[in-house]
């Protein structure tokens, strides 16, 4: 069994490759060629009420692979200079059940999450979008910046984080990597997102913070940070005023607090979801008047994404060794 660590995963794939892997993944999912089982999420009984252990299984079909991502989410890990999400992906051969690889889950999650956001953004954001707001300056901000730049000509990025030091470090580091982009930081969250063409919320917040009054028509939002029914980033009023798309109907209606809380309040109904990413990729759903309304891509993260990218990485490693 091959063991593939963080550095090897990152070395094996470019962001545009990852976006195409995700495009094929959602096409196969929409056509019923691959499947997944609902994520098992347990809050650890450590008295902190925020640390999570999760298992995410998926099956890619006969002749391909199956397996699961086993991962933890510890929101305070940055205090120990560690990523919030850590774990492994176990990959098995579908022909005989043989375990073939154990792949670092943090790297896969880091890359595939941003690739999926970029794929959705390509369908939902206006074609001339040039300004990006990142709410949260952690690891996902790095990958989302790269992925969004791969599909839109971004020339200005505003960043907001509860930690001003982390926001400053992110801006200074990214300025060196993207000298053609202007990096700024608003004093407030409202100032950071105001007038942004694309907004990515990348936090572990339990409470909604993105307000309807701050967002103008034509803005696209990737709501990425939370994946439990009790946590959310988008206020009910903003959800109500937006065109909503999801990574998966079943998953988001079980796990997304951004959807479930306003539905419980009576502000939103399930019919507010206009389409899934599989439907967008396959052409079953079309976005009319792209760039004229507020759009939200509400994603909780799917096991199929992890397994498809893990399979891709494993195959590349096999070919190069």
């Amino acid at each position: 069994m091959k063991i593939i660590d963080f550095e090897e995963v990152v070395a094996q794939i470019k962001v545009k490759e990852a976006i195409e892997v995700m495009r094929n993944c959602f096409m196969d999912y929409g056509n019923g060629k691959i499947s997944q089982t609902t994520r098992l999420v347990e809050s650890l009984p450590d008295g902190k009420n925020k640390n999570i252990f999760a298992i995410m299984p998926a099956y890619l079909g006969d002749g391909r692979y199956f397996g699961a991502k086993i991962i933890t989410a510890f929101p305070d890990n940055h205090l120990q200079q560690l990523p919030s999400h850590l774990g492994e992906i176990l990959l098995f051969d579908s022909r005989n059940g043989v375990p073939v690889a154990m792949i670092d889950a943090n790297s896969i999650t880091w890359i595939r999450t941003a690739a999926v956001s970029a794929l959705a953004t390509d369908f939902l954001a206006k074609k001339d979008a040039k300004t990006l707001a990142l709410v949260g300056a952690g690891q996902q901000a790095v990958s989302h910046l790269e992925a969004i730049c791969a599909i839109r000509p971004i020339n200005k990025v505003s960043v907001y984080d509860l930690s001003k030091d982390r926001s400053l470090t992110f801006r200074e580091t990214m300025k060196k990597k993207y000298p053609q982009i202007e990096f700024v930081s608003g004093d407030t969250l409202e100032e950071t997102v105001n007038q942004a063409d694309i907004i990515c919320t990348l936090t572990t917040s339990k409470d909604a913070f993105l307000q309807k009054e701050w967002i103008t028509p034509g803005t696209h939002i990737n709501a990425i940070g939370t994946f439990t029914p009790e946590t959310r980033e988008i206020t009910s009023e903003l959800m109500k005023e937006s065109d909503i798309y999801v990574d998966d109907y079943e998953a988001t209606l079980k796990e997304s607090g951004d959807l479930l809380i306003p539905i419980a309040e009576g502000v939103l109904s399930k019919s507010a979801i206009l389409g899934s990413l599989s439907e967008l990729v396959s052409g079953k759903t079309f976005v009319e008047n792209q760039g004229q309304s507020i759009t939200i891509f509400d994603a909780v993260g799917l096991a199929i994404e992890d397994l498809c990218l893990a399979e891709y990485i494993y195959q590349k490693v096999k070919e190069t060794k």
Side-chain angles (χ1 to χ4, degrees):
M1 182 170 71
K2 290 188 179 294
I3 298 176
I4 306 174
D5 62 15
F6 184 101
E7 288 74 18
E8 188 164 15
V9 170
V10 173
Q12 288 291 339
I13 191 164
K14 304 297 183 184
V15 65
K16 289 187 176 181
E17 282 181 274
I19 293 170
E20 289 309 304
V21 172
M22 292 299 98
R23 188 187 304 275
N24 293 333
C25 171
F26 278 91
M27 181 68 78
D28 286 346
Y29 187 52
N31 291 333
K33 293 182 178 180
I34 62 179
S35 62
Q36 62 184 7
T37 304
T38 302
R39 170 178 16 217
L40 172 64
V41 179
E42 294 288 343
S43 293
L44 296 180
D46 54 10
K48 298 179 181 179
N49 197 32
K50 58 183 175 181
N51 296 327
I52 288 172
F53 173 68
I55 301 175
M56 301 169 61
Y59 178 73
L60 303 185
D62 188 30
R64 292 179 68 182
Y65 300 91
F66 68 91
K69 179 167 75 172
I70 303 170
I71 196 166
T72 59
F74 279 55
D76 291 339
N77 266 6
H78 64 277
L79 300 175
Q80 303 179 54
Q81 287 74 53
L82 290 171
S84 60
H85 293 66
L86 293 166
E88 302 289 342
I89 295 173
L90 295 177
L91 200 63
F92 298 80
D93 193 320
S94 293
R95 298 169 299 177
N96 47 36
V98 171
V100 296
M102 183 169 71
I103 304 172
D104 175 74
N106 181 36
S107 55
I108 295 290
T109 304
W110 181 48
I111 295 167
R112 65 79 160 156
T113 304
V116 169
S117 292
L119 182 60
T121 300
D122 204 19
F123 286 102
L124 300 174
K126 54 191 177 185
K127 295 299 183 183
D128 61 348
K130 293 182 174 63
T131 57
L132 170 66
L134 300 170
V135 184
Q139 190 182 42
Q140 279 295 336
V142 176
S143 57
H144 272 75
L145 173 58
E146 183 177 9
I148 299 301
C149 284
I151 51 94
R152 288 294 185 273
I154 300 299
N155 59 23
K156 184 176 180 179
V157 176
S158 55
V159 186
Y160 182 87
D161 195 283
L162 292 177
S163 167
K164 290 188 176 182
D165 287 342
R166 184 159 57 173
S167 178
L168 177 61
T169 299
F170 176 85
R171 293 196 322 271
E172 293 303 314
T173 303
M174 292 302 107
K175 281 179 183 177
K176 296 174 184 176
K177 186 174 182 180
Y178 302 93
Q180 76 280 12
I181 295 177
E182 177 188 2
F183 287 88
V184 299
S185 181
D187 292 330
T188 66
L189 180 55
E190 178 180 2
E191 185 180 332
T192 302
V193 301
N194 188 255
Q195 301 304 314
D197 296 323
I198 301 166
I199 301 169
C200 298
T201 59
L202 311 165
T203 79
T204 56
S205 176
K206 288 194 171 184
D207 301 311
F209 54 78
L210 204 61
Q211 307 288 330
K212 178 187 73 172
E213 295 78 15
W214 303 345
I215 312 301
T216 56
T219 302
H220 171 63
I221 302 165
N222 294 308
I224 301 302
T226 60
F227 59 91
T228 65
E230 301 81 20
T231 58
R232 60 174 175 163
E233 299 175 298
I234 315 298
T235 59
S236 298
E237 293 76 16
L238 179 53
M239 292 293 287
K240 181 181 178 181
E241 294 299 317
S242 302
D243 293 346
I244 300 170
Y245 297 83
V246 298
D247 50 358
D248 180 62
Y249 289 99
E250 182 181 6
T252 50
L253 288 171
K254 286 183 178 178
E255 300 176 340
S256 172
D258 285 314
L259 279 169
L260 293 172
I261 293 172
I263 288 174
E265 293 171 344
V267 173
L268 211 63
S269 68
K270 296 178 183 180
S271 62
I273 302 173
L274 298 183
S276 70
L277 190 49
S278 288
E279 291 171 341
L280 290 170
V281 169
S282 67
K284 293 177 182 177
T285 295
F286 293 93
V287 180
E288 296 183 2
N289 302 317
Q290 186 179 19
Q292 296 185 22
S293 61
I294 299 171
T295 55
I296 293 177
F297 176 59
D298 185 24
V300 293
L302 306 178
I304 54 167
E305 301 165 9
D306 296 308
L307 268 291
C308 283
L309 190 57
E311 174 191 54
Y312 185 81
I313 296 295
Y314 171 64
Q315 296 284 21
K316 288 194 75 174
V317 169
K318 279 204 312 178
E319 291 170 2
T320 56
K321 291 188 176 181

